[in-house]
Amino acid sequence: MSNDVDAPIRVLIVDDQALMRAGFRALLDAEDGIEVVGEAVNGREGLELARLHTPDIALVDVQMPVMTGIEATRAIAADPLLGGVHVVILTNYGLDEYVFDALRAGAAGFLLKDTEPAELLQAVRVAARGDALLSPAITRRLIGEFVARPPDRTTAPGFETLTRREREVSALAARGLTNEEIAAHMVISPFTAKTHISRAMIKLGARDRAQLVVFAYESGLVTPRER
């Protein structure tokens, strides 16, 4: 993965459908500042290519033969040499149990396969910056999943080390607020809000904002409200 701000965003496409891979490649390769470094037909091949190319972004289908997208995501997240690889899950079904499990496994977010081209390109850039690909609307749907199927209550290692401010911003992030909205709510600057969130993520070992949201609910920091 390149640290040069002028270097193109390097993307790996992992999908067992040739037509989907071709469509994604054509769209991404046509965009300035984005480069497709490889294609894989299953999760195992995707993991091998991720280790070979260390891309900035891995677009990974959920359901594939040999190794699923969730298994590949978990393997990428567990590999210290792939710490800079942001996995974006591709799905046909929206926020289903597969995507929920993928977020727990370490995915930065997810996209529907029928998303608009402009949204896909924006998502790649968002994920490459290290921001979680979870809009407030998507976060609310994630919250709804917790309401419908509460997970086992667990506490992430490092949770007890969070300061009061870090717990507060984590809770607000889990409610679906953006950094700007958190800043307004707490009467602090957006930069300060982002700093608190970054520190909370480091202490919890969360790869990104998506995992921070999951940790916030699983630890009981935030309790889903019945709808």
Side-chain angles (χ1 to χ4, degrees):
M1 186 185 68
S2 174
N3 292 319
D4 187 344
V5 294
D6 295 322
I9 298 171
R10 305 170 71 252
V11 181
L12 171 66
I13 302 170
V14 187
D15 195 305
D16 62 328
Q17 297 181 345
L19 187 60
M20 294 302 301
R21 295 196 309 275
F24 283 128
R25 175 181 275 276
L27 176 64
L28 295 169
D29 273 343
E31 187 71 8
D32 290 338
I34 298 177
E35 174 190 0
V36 176
V37 297
E39 298 180 24
V41 300
N42 58 59
R44 181 177 297 167
E45 185 176 316
L47 178 60
E48 292 172 354
L49 289 181
R51 287 169 173 161
L52 177 64
H53 297 294
T54 55
D56 301 292
I57 303 295
L59 297 176
V60 180
D61 186 24
V62 169
Q63 295 176 293
M64 293 181 292
V66 183
M67 176 184 281
T68 69
I70 294 173
E71 292 169 337
T73 299
R74 188 174 292 113
I76 289 173
D79 190 332
L81 296 179
L82 300 179
V85 179
H86 304 287
V87 177
V88 176
I89 292 294
L90 301 171
T91 177
N92 290 315
Y93 310 110
L95 192 65
D96 57 20
E97 61 180 298
Y98 300 109
V99 174
F100 184 77
D101 289 342
L103 290 174
R104 279 178 158 178
F110 75 94
L111 283 173
L112 293 175
K113 285 190 174 183
D114 62 355
T115 190
E116 294 294 325
E119 293 178 0
L120 171 65
L121 295 173
Q122 175 64 14
V124 167
R125 293 190 173 94
V126 168
R129 290 198 304 264
D131 295 334
L133 190 56
L134 283 179
S135 68
I138 295 302
T139 303
R140 284 193 290 270
R141 292 175 66 185
L142 179 62
I143 291 170
E145 181 71 12
F146 274 99
V147 172
R149 183 169 55 87
D152 294 333
R153 183 62 52 83
T154 58
T155 300
F159 180 80
E160 68 283 350
T161 67
L162 295 184
T163 66
R164 180 180 60 82
R165 282 292 209 186
E166 290 164 356
R167 293 185 184 215
E168 186 175 357
V169 297
S170 298
L172 292 173
R175 291 293 186 200
L177 274 64
T178 64
N179 286 349
E180 290 72 21
E181 291 169 337
I182 291 172
H185 181 88
M186 298 178 65
V187 196
I188 57 178
S189 71
F191 177 79
T192 299
K194 184 175 182 179
T195 298
H196 284 315
I197 288 176
S198 297
R199 288 174 177 168
M201 287 168 50
I202 291 171
K203 289 181 179 180
L204 294 173
R207 285 170 63 91
D208 50 43
R209 196 183 187 103
Q211 280 203 312
L212 180 64
V213 171
V214 172
F215 288 157
Y217 279 91
E218 291 189 328
S219 66
L221 181 62
V222 179
T223 302
R225 301 190 187 103
E226 294 293 340
R227 292 170 294 181

